[in-house]
């Protein structure tokens, strides 16, 4: 990201460490500046609309294990691009695969594959992650929710749900795009887009 003084900050994760690099574009060089230790391995990160905060989903799980400790962390970004913890990590119920915010960053949205679902969390006035927004039961998140994005209108939510290959005598699970109406953190299922029935997706 570009900070106010025109320096560019780049962040890379290595396990539970989030490393800040300053980018020297003129010389094509990265300068390592600092490392921030998070409570578990980084799964995904997404910036606040202000570009002053970074939301990071962490877990001790992996593709072969659901794990037992899962967090959403809020980090503050200073003018140099350096990261600092901002508020306490928020416990999540399952291993997160993806985190994003809606267009104005009033809510954070977290995707999980086991179970296949999305949770929506209010973002407080101080930019920390707040309480979860309760959704209607039985929303269709497909077989394997993998990523969620909010449309530019801030009125639609698109969840990428991948399938699973046939294996061990089990038939292939189809994937799809699941589209939801979205307003003030509330999801309402709209339709499913699955070309060819979602097979091979």
């Amino acid at each position: 990201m570009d900070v106010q003084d025109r320096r560019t900050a780049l962040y890379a994760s290595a396990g539970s460490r989030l490393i800040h690099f300053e980018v020297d574009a003129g010389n094509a060089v990265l300068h390592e500046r600092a490392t921030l230790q998070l409570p578990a391995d980084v799964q995904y990160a997404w910036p606040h609309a202000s570009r002053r905060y970074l939301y990071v989903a962490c877990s001790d799980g992996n593709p072969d294990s659901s794990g037992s400790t899962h967090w959403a962390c809020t980090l503050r970004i200073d003018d140099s691009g350096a990261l600092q913890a901002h508020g306490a990590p928020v416990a999540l119920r399952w291993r997160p695969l993806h985190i994003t915010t809606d267009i104005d960053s009033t809510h954070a949205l977290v995707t999980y594959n086991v179970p296949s679902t999305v949770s929506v969390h209010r973002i407080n006035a101080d930019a920390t992650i707040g309480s979860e927004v309760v959704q209607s039961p039985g929303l269709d998140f497909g077989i394997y929710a993998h990523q969620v994005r909010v449309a530019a209108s801030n009125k639609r939510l698109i969840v990428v749900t991948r399938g699973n290959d046939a294996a061990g005598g089990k038939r292939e699970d189809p994937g799809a795009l699941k589209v939801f109406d979205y307003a003030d953190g509330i999801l309402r299922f709209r339709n499913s887009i699955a070309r060819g029935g979602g097979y091979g997706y």
Side-chain angles (χ1 to χ4, degrees), residues 93-95 111-118 141-145:
R93 286 174 284 172
W94 309 290
R95 176 192 170 223
T111 307
Y112 316 86
N113 67 317
V114 182
S116 182
T117 192
V118 173
F141 292 106
I143 299 295
Y144 191 122

Side-chain angles (χ1 to χ4, degrees), residues 141-158:
F141 292 106
I143 299 295
Y144 191 122
H146 194 269
Q147 188 176 33
V148 59
R149 291 298 302 273
V150 180
S153 67
N154 213 32
K155 296 179 180 179
R156 294 282 187 275
L157 194 81
I158 303 166

Side-chain angles (χ1 to χ4, degrees), residues 40-147:
D41 289 354
V42 174
Q43 307 295 307
Y44 207 88
W46 190 266
H48 186 276
S50 69
R51 297 298 194 265
R52 286 299 187 184
Y53 304 93
L54 187 69
Y55 299 108
V56 184
C58 304
S59 175
D60 64 351
N62 58 58
D64 298 317
S65 170
S66 59
S68 60
T69 304
H70 322 289
W71 305 96
C73 302
T74 306
L75 308 180
R76 186 171 64 83
I77 306 170
D78 71 16
D79 287 344
S80 72
L83 300 172
Q84 295 179 354
H86 181 66
V90 173
L92 301 173
R93 286 174 284 172
W94 309 290
R95 176 192 170 223
L97 298 188
H98 184 258
I99 188 169
T100 191
T101 72
D102 49 18
I103 300 304
D104 52 4
S105 289
T106 57
H107 296 83
L109 302 99
V110 185
T111 307
Y112 316 86
N113 67 317
V114 182
S116 182
T117 192
V118 173
S119 63
V120 183
H121 307 259
R122 293 179 180 88
I123 294 179
N124 299 320
D126 65 356
T128 57
I129 295 175
S131 58
E132 184 173 350
V133 180
V134 177
Q135 306 294 328
S136 299
L139 292 174
D140 180 4
F141 292 106
I143 299 295
Y144 191 122
H146 194 269
Q147 188 176 33

